[in-house]
Amino acid sequence: MSNNSQNNQKKYCVLDDFSHACKYVDDEDIENAVKSGEPLRTEIIMAMGQTYDEKYLPNLYKALYDENHVRREDARRSIMMINGKKGLAELKKSWLSIDDPDGTSVEKAGCEAIILRIEKGVDYLLELLLSDDARDALKFCVDSYNGWGYRFDTDDVKLRHGVIRAIIDKSIKWHKKPDPQDVKDWLTLCYDDLGYSAVKYSDALSRISDELSDDIVQLVKDTVERHRATIDLKQSMIKMTTGMRREYALEILAFLKGRVTGCAKSEFKRALKFFNITEDALI
């Protein structure tokens, strides 16, 4: 989100409804879309969530039943961002309306993850991930309820940390021998969230506890040493440091010194510039 100094309107970074490319819309765009009476496009639904304005909740409730599943998903996320507790009843109605005869629907699982995040919190989601009780589709969705472009808070950081730790430690009981691609996808998703969304849309990484900050430093080390982290993963790890407090960020950068190549090395140099430190000074 940014301010437009020329007309004093806020601008929101969202995804285009058709191309899914990044674009900006402003408050006037949102109001015009509402007045048109047409089904809300993805970029408008996302922007509504970024306004945090409860006046848009009725419009988002209607979008829960749009024929386009991406619009439905973003309507749920925007409702959660604006006031999840106020919209909880509508989210539950939406969840009940999704057909899922065999319990494998990713959309229904994603909706349920949002409901549980609002109703029971992150600790419950982490317990669910490690349990034997919940269906697999839901477990796969517990770490992805935010989506791109939505704010993070400290609990969201805690959840990503917990999911990565469970993968690294192989403590997910139902997934003792996971498919390597599943592991890669989960790690990529979680680190992307921490490296991009958590930095771009919040200051949560700078507000987490010392204990969690220490744990994230160790998590990076364990991921690199146990899973031979890809260049893309390392790039996300480095991006993440720019949202962390300096002492923890520099510890991660010092660990990654000499372990990065390609685009991760370029990101590493940008992080050094961000912290105004040289590579030689990292110890």
Side-chain angles (χ1 to χ4, degrees), residues 24-60:
Y24 283 91
V25 301
D26 59 26
D27 291 318
E28 185 177 0
D29 294 324
I30 298 174
E31 290 301 320
N32 287 339
V34 171
K35 291 175 183 177
S36 75
E38 297 293 322
L40 298 175
R41 302 185 307 276
T42 300
E43 63 262 26
I44 299 300
I45 292 170
M46 290 184 68
M48 285 178 169
Q50 292 181 36
T51 67
Y52 311 124
D53 193 331
E54 291 185 8
K55 74 179 181 180
Y56 293 124
L57 285 175
N59 304 101
L60 292 169

Side-chain angles (χ1 to χ4, degrees), residues 19 111 136 270 276:
S19 68
C111 182
D136 289 358
R270 283 191 285 271
N276 192 25

Side-chain angles (χ1 to χ4, degrees), residues 17-159:
D17 191 73
F18 300 105
S19 68
H20 299 293
C22 298
K23 67 181 292 185
Y24 283 91
V25 301
D26 59 26
D27 291 318
E28 185 177 0
D29 294 324
I30 298 174
E31 290 301 320
N32 287 339
V34 171
K35 291 175 183 177
S36 75
E38 297 293 322
L40 298 175
R41 302 185 307 276
T42 300
E43 63 262 26
I44 299 300
I45 292 170
M46 290 184 68
M48 285 178 169
Q50 292 181 36
T51 67
Y52 311 124
D53 193 331
E54 291 185 8
K55 74 179 181 180
Y56 293 124
L57 285 175
N59 304 101
L60 292 169
Y61 296 157
K62 184 176 179 180
L64 289 172
Y65 304 95
D66 193 280
E67 63 181 14
N68 184 304
H69 80 278
V70 174
R71 294 177 182 177
R72 296 194 298 268
E73 288 175 355
D74 279 303
R76 295 181 190 110
R77 290 166 178 153
S78 286
I79 290 167
M80 179 180 69
M81 290 297 108
I82 292 173
N83 189 334
K85 291 184 178 179
K86 188 169 184 177
L88 190 58
E90 294 294 334
L91 289 170
K92 287 183 176 180
K93 288 180 185 177
S94 170
W95 177 74
L96 289 171
S97 74
I98 301 170
D99 188 37
D100 185 21
D102 58 1
T104 61
S105 168
V106 174
E107 181 178 4
K108 187 150 191 170
C111 182
E112 187 175 356
I114 287 175
I115 291 169
L116 292 173
R117 170 67 174 88
I118 295 167
E119 204 167 31
K120 298 190 177 183
V122 161
D123 287 338
Y124 180 82
L125 289 180
L126 286 172
E127 290 177 9
L128 195 65
L129 179 72
L130 301 177
S131 75
D132 293 318
D133 302 327
R135 67 190 189 281
D136 289 358
L138 178 57
K139 292 182 180 183
F140 270 111
C141 289
V142 298
D143 64 335
S144 59
Y145 62 82
N146 286 78
W148 183 92
Y150 292 95
R151 83 181 159 201
F152 265 53
D153 61 27
T154 54
D155 273 349
D156 298 318
V157 174
K158 179 181 179 182
L159 178 62

Side-chain angles (χ1 to χ4, degrees), residues 1-13 24-27 50-51 200:
M1 185 175 69
S2 63
N3 287 323
N4 185 332
S5 58
Q6 292 183 340
N7 58 19
N8 200 33
Q9 289 208 32
K10 292 178 180 178
K11 299 182 71 175
Y12 309 95
C13 182
Y24 283 91
V25 301
D26 59 26
D27 291 318
Q50 292 181 36
T51 67
K200 185 175 179 63

Side-chain angles (χ1 to χ4, degrees), residues 216-234:
I216 287 177
V217 172
Q218 187 60 50
L219 194 64
V220 167
K221 295 177 180 179
D222 290 344
T223 303
V224 171
E225 291 174 342
R226 299 184 195 177
H227 277 271
R228 297 180 182 177
T230 64
I231 291 175
D232 289 343
L233 271 187
K234 291 177 181 177

